[in-house]
Amino acid sequence: MERGNAKHSPRVDDELAHEVDGIVKGTAGGRVEEFREPEPAGEDQPEASVVPEGDDRGGVPQGMTPEEVELRSRFGRFINRSALPGDRDRLRRDAEQNEAPDDVLAEIDRLPSGVQFQTVSEAWAALGHHNETQRW
C-alpha cells in the first residue's frame, strides 16, 4: 500500500511542497514567490538606521558617569528588594546574607542611622554619590 496524504490531492501536495521548497533547500531566504520579497523604502521615506535622527542618548543616564553607574550597580546588587524600605541596619543584614564584599559593607556602614531608605538610589544619594538627573 502506498503511503500518501489523503487530505489533499496530489496536485495540491505538489503546490504545498513548492511553497516550502526554499525553506527546505535553504535558498532565497525561504521566499519562493517574488511577491513575498519585501519592497524597498520609497523615495520619500527616510533611510533606516539603528538610532533615530536626533536621538543622541548614550548608554549612561544624564548626571552620572559610567564608573558611577557601575559602582551604584555593584552597591545595589547585594541589597534585595525585600530589604527596602529599610534602615542602615536592615540593609547591612541583607547585604551580609547576600555575601557582600567588605567595600560594599563599608559603604552601608557610612549610611546615617535611623533613616528609612525606599530605594537603593536613595541610599546611594545619602552616601554623597550622584544619581541620574533625568530618567529616560
Side-chain angles (χ1 to χ4, degrees):
M1 180 174 190
E2 185 178 326
R3 291 186 67 138
N5 186 348
K7 190 173 184 182
H8 306 290
S9 68
R11 182 185 57 81
V12 174
D13 284 341
D14 289 342
E15 287 177 12
L16 292 173
H18 177 69
E19 286 181 11
V20 296
D21 192 43
I23 296 170
V24 173
K25 293 182 180 176
T27 59
R31 292 186 167 94
V32 178
E33 288 94 5
E34 185 177 330
F35 74 89
R36 294 183 187 245
E37 291 292 326
E39 292 185 17
E43 293 177 10
D44 60 338
Q45 300 296 316
E47 290 293 320
S49 66
V50 175
V51 179
E53 188 174 324
D55 189 359
D56 58 352
R57 295 186 299 202
V60 179
Q62 291 180 354
M64 294 182 77
T65 65
E67 293 80 23
E68 289 172 325
V69 171
E70 181 61 33
L71 288 172
R72 183 179 69 179
S73 174
R74 187 168 188 272
F75 175 75
R77 193 173 302 140
F78 299 100
I79 300 172
N80 292 327
R81 286 185 177 180
S82 60
L84 297 166
D87 61 358
R88 176 181 68 189
D89 296 332
R90 183 170 180 176
L91 298 181
R92 168 80 186 205
R93 281 192 309 272
D94 191 63
E96 286 173 344
Q97 288 177 350
N98 291 321
E99 300 177 3
D102 292 338
D103 61 317
V104 173
L105 295 175
E107 285 285 293
I108 293 173
D109 289 339
R110 288 186 35 227
L111 289 170
S113 63
V115 177
Q116 289 282 343
F117 300 102
Q118 301 296 317
T119 63
V120 170
S121 293
E122 282 184 17
W124 186 249
L127 292 169
H129 300 293
H130 295 101
N131 281 314
E132 62 268 8
T133 56
Q134 178 180 356
R135 302 206 83 158
W136 325 103

